[in-house]
Amino acid sequence: MAKKYICKVCGYVHTGDKAPAVCPQCQQTNCFEPEKSKGLDTNSNVYTIIYATIVVVIVAVLLAVISQVLSPRQEANKRLDVQKQILTALNVDYSQADPAALYDEYVKEEEWDGKPVFYATIDNTNYTVLPLKGQGLWGGIWGYIALEDDLNTVYGINFGHESETPGLGAEIVTEKFRSQFFGKHIKDGEGNLRSIAVLKEGKRADEGQEQVDAVSGATITSTGVNDMLLNSLDEYKDFLEQIPAAGVEELLNDNEEED
Amino acid sequence: MALSKKTKEAFLGPLNINNPVLVQILGICSALAVTVQLKPALVMGISVTIIVALSNVVVSLIRNSIPARIRIIIQLVVVAALVTIVSEVLKAFAYDVAMQLSVYLGLIITNCILMGRLEAFAMSNNVFDSLLDGLGNGFGYAWILVVVAFVRELFGAGTLLGYQIIPQSWYVANGGFYENCGMMLMPAMALILVGCIIWAHRAINDKEAK
């Protein structure tokens, strides 16, 4: 497409692919510049404001539509993820089966004092799963702890994190770290809730409290796990410290009737 | 189809001679954060490549209509919108990947390579060249990340992509002679490694230039 070039000195208009080196009218050299299009002035205030408004509206509508369209799928994924985490805490291998179906088969969602309690029955053995929530180094950490029917012995545990450092804090999700908790007790000899301490190698927990090794190099995340266990279990203190003769299930049922 | 020299340069330049990390020293912040292990480094490299290429294309398409005074804001809006859309789509169709990426998606928006390429290249070049420039810079960034993460994971944890590479029997704990280098896991080591790569890169390319 041929372009138009205007001589800055005399205003001569040249039509062609390239600007001529010398202006045929005034004999100046290097005096041509491309003709400016007569379109919109993209530097005017009005144009800038209208442009910004249009861009914002387009992006806002786009994001809103995408979010609306995708949110049912996202919610389903989130729910499935929680179910998988609870199954992992219960040491259920769901890799060969449909996790949602396994979850429905094993787990009942109950409430105690307005807080969620997951009650599971696997091979005629009952487990109680409690949610954990805390803070790591960079963001939130969470987990699910599965207790045996004495509400004392840890059967399984699972951790998740938002953004802990790979190779350091993120190691809390590994089997190596989690398996340390298996078989540990969250109460002392007298039945008082003590939680489980996460301590650096070589340190000793207080009398009556059991402990696991922290992840080396991830002190703040490990302390976060320690505090998360302490605080989250403490919210269920009254629930955990009483054990009715007929088992945990009765406790949950009683609670329902009171409501 | 013969590509013009400039088009080739747009793709090949950032891989070596004009590498965004080694020469322009951009994107160092995220290079530190994700290179402890190989897997997040790979994922981050791929994500940045996709986002740089896409945002380069979008900005190049609208480059003539963007008002000069608010161009940086418009570029940022394009990048942020793209990253948000990608993360929403991932959450709906590949939830596991989205969970692993959650940290990095935020890092991508603030990655200096993106803004650098949009401002320096996409604003003044056509769509095809901008796409190649985005891909080139993405790969240029990714290979540095992968090299650094390879070294850090191998010597820091004895694994690659989570698989044990250094035999267990070598370790002092099992009666061997070897121990993992804890220093490799520290962020400072990423800078030292990038420094070493820059050193080698300069030594080789300066010779060529002479």
Side-chain angles (χ1 to χ4, degrees):
Chain A
M1 194 186 87
K3 287 176 189 158
K4 284 188 172 174
Y5 295 88
I6 303 170
C7 173
K8 279 185 283 188
V9 181
C10 61
Y12 172 81
V13 178
H14 169 87
T15 310
D17 283 336
K18 264 188 177 172
V22 181
C23 174
Q25 191 166 299
C26 62
Q27 311 301 326
Q28 286 277 337
T29 50
N30 292 328
C31 58
F32 281 97
E33 61 177 20
E35 186 193 46
K36 285 194 182 110
S37 65
K38 293 262 157 52
L40 280 163
D41 176 9
T42 56
N43 284 322
S44 76
N45 286 343
V46 177
Y47 179 81
T48 304
I49 291 167
I50 293 174
Y51 192 90
T53 315
I54 292 173
V55 166
V56 168
V57 169
I58 290 175
V59 169
V61 169
L62 192 67
L63 290 183
V65 168
I66 286 175
S67 162
Q68 278 302 310
V69 169
L70 296 179
S71 78
R73 281 195 76 107
Q74 292 175 352
E75 288 304 314
N77 281 335
K78 246 181 234 167
R79 216 185 122 64
L80 187 65
D81 190 52
V82 168
Q83 293 179 347
K84 281 184 186 169
Q85 288 180 43
I86 291 172
L87 288 177
T88 309
L90 287 163
N91 298 326
V92 174
D93 178 19
Y94 53 79
S95 56
Q96 304 298 325
D98 176 21
L102 280 179
Y103 182 87
D104 288 340
E105 186 188 333
Y106 292 143
V107 184
K108 272 189 289 179
E109 287 170 14
E110 307 275 2
E111 260 190 14
W112 177 82
D113 198 17
K115 289 177 282 235
V117 173
F118 303 91
Y119 190 69
T121 311
I122 303 169
D123 297 335
N124 296 321
T125 317
N126 298 326
Y127 305 101
T128 308
V129 182
L130 300 177
L132 309 167
K133 224 182 185 97
Q135 272 293 317
L137 172 57
W138 304 113
I141 51 176
W142 60 86
Y144 291 92
I145 184 167
L147 301 168
E148 289 177 10
D149 226 14
D150 57 0
L151 289 181
N152 185 11
T153 315
V154 178
Y155 175 69
I157 197 162
N158 183 35
F159 294 110
H161 65 94
E162 225 165 68
S163 47
E164 298 308 298
T165 322
L168 296 171
E171 296 290 299
I172 58 167
V173 304
T174 57
E175 179 79 31
K176 191 181 159 215
F177 181 73
R178 294 195 297 120
S179 58
Q180 295 187 89
F181 288 88
F182 301 173
K184 291 271 191 308
H185 301 96
I186 59 169
K187 289 189 246 181
D188 60 13
E190 277 103 58
N192 297 315
L193 179 64
R194 298 298 301 270
S195 173
I196 295 169
V198 182
L199 292 171
K200 274 189 189 168
E201 242 168 271
K203 281 200 174 177
R204 301 285 317 148
D206 299 339
E207 188 67 31
Q209 192 185 26
E210 299 194 7
Q211 68 180 81
V212 298
D213 288 338
V215 179
S216 57
T219 311
I220 297 177
T221 311
S222 299
T223 313
V225 173
N226 182 59
D227 296 348
M228 170 170 79
L229 281 164
L230 197 66
N231 298 334
S232 299
L233 290 176
D234 195 53
E235 284 183 31
Y236 292 90
K237 190 173 165 54
D238 294 340
F239 173 75
L240 291 168
E241 287 189 347
Q242 55 171 327
I243 311 251
V248 180
E249 195 162 22
E250 192 191 70
L251 197 65
L252 292 165
N253 287 340
D254 280 356
N255 186 254
E256 253 165 45
E257 280 155 25
E258 279 164 31
D259 297 340
Chain B
M1 184 182 74
L3 296 171
S4 72
K5 191 165 178 269
K6 192 183 165 216
T7 307
K8 265 188 219 159
E9 191 53 31
F11 180 68
L12 295 175
L15 292 182
N16 182 23
I17 303 297
N18 202 16
N19 190 283
V21 183
L22 297 183
V23 179
Q24 301 167 21
I25 320 290
L26 293 173
I28 292 290
C29 16
S30 54
L32 299 189
V34 301
T35 53
V36 176
Q37 289 173 331
L38 197 50
K39 197 175 160 201
L42 275 171
V43 172
M44 180 72 178
I46 294 167
S47 329
V48 167
T49 306
I50 293 169
I51 301 283
V52 173
L54 282 178
S55 55
N56 254 7
V57 166
V58 173
V59 168
S60 178
L61 276 172
I62 59 171
R63 70 183 186 279
N64 289 328
S65 70
I66 298 177
R69 273 177 293 175
I70 57 165
R71 67 184 191 283
I72 300 282
I73 301 171
I74 299 292
Q75 290 162 14
L76 201 58
V77 168
V78 169
V79 175
L82 275 174
V83 170
T84 312
I85 291 170
V86 168
S87 93
E88 292 279 312
V89 170
L90 282 178
K91 265 187 206 156
F93 296 101
Y95 193 78
D96 294 343
V97 181
M99 284 297 101
Q100 285 182 349
L101 272 180
S102 58
V103 206
Y104 311 124
L105 286 169
L107 283 174
I108 293 172
I109 301 180
T110 55
N111 194 317
C112 359
I113 294 175
L114 263 100
M115 296 303 291
R117 291 332 290 169
L118 293 178
E119 176 70 7
F121 199 92
M123 279 301 282
S124 50
N125 285 281
N126 68 37
V127 177
F128 183 62
D129 284 357
S130 298
L131 173 68
L132 289 180
D133 179 78
L135 289 174
N137 276 282
F139 288 135
Y141 171 79
W143 80 255
I144 304 292
L145 246 61
V146 167
V147 168
V148 173
F150 181 89
V151 175
R152 288 182 76 187
E153 191 178 345
L154 183 60
F155 293 105
T159 59
L160 282 179
L161 289 171
Y163 296 105
Q164 191 72 33
I165 296 293
I166 294 176
Q168 288 288 358
S169 59
W170 285 17
Y171 284 97
V172 174
N174 302 328
F177 56 90
Y178 185 82
E179 235 177 309
N180 284 329
C181 175
M183 179 76 185
M184 282 289 174
L185 298 175
M186 299 296 143
M189 208 55 210
L191 270 189
I192 294 172
L193 284 172
V194 169
C196 291
I197 299 176
I198 293 176
W199 180 21
H201 182 261
R202 294 260 158 97
I204 295 165
N205 288 312
D206 279 3
K207 232 176 247 167
E208 275 175 10
K210 275 170 198 164

